[in-house]
């Protein structure tokens, strides 16, 4: 996961968002993800300051990393190693 984060952070955000979902980030609606958010993240206002939806990047067959994005900050919310937090296509 650290290597994948490093890879994604090497390019600028516009480039990363231009990658296909297998290489870059994929946006998923909040309602489509089964995830419990830490109450402190919500009450601090960070959740509301983030862009709409969750952003996901792949770890191959090991799972998916689900997070919220606020400009160039990626908040890691969950690692979906069992592939059951949202419908995978």
């Amino acid at each position: 996961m650290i290597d994948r984060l490093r890879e994604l952070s090497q390019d600028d955000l516009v480039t990363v968002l231009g990658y296909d979902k297998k290489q870059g980030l994929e946006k998923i609606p909040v309602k489509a993800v089964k995830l419990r958010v830490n109450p402190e993240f919500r009450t601090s206002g960070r959740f509301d300051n983030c862009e709409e939806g969750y952003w996901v990047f792949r770890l191959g067959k090991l799972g998916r990393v689900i997070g919220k994005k606020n400009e160039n900050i990626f908040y890691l919310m969950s690692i979906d190693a069992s592939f059951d937090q949202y419908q995978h296509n």
Side-chain angles (χ1 to χ4, degrees):
M1 181 181 76
I2 303 264
D3 290 338
R4 191 72 182 107
L5 281 169
R6 188 178 311 118
E7 287 173 15
L8 289 170
S9 67
Q10 296 301 310
D11 289 327
D12 62 73
L13 185 58
V14 173
T15 302
V16 170
L17 292 176
Y19 293 156
D20 67 29
K21 68 181 186 179
K22 292 180 181 177
Q23 293 178 304
L25 296 174
E26 173 182 10
K27 190 173 182 180
I28 299 177
V30 169
K31 291 181 179 183
V33 179
K34 296 177 222 160
L35 173 64
R36 216 170 5 145
V37 176
N38 184 311
E40 185 178 327
F41 189 73
R42 286 192 187 272
T43 59
S44 69
R46 288 180 283 179
F47 188 89
D48 293 331
N49 289 333
C50 290
E51 297 174 17
E52 190 68 31
Y54 286 109
W55 291 88
V56 177
F57 66 87
R58 297 173 180 219
L59 298 173
K61 294 180 181 181
L62 298 175
R64 306 287 190 264
V65 176
I66 302 170
K68 292 290 282 176
K69 193 169 85 53
N70 181 356
E71 295 183 19
N72 64 342
I73 299 170
F74 185 85
Y75 293 103
L76 193 149
M77 305 300 287
S78 179
I79 299 171
D80 183 11
S82 57
F83 298 94
D84 62 358
Q85 289 183 302
Y86 68 95
Q87 185 66 36
H88 298 271
N89 298 330

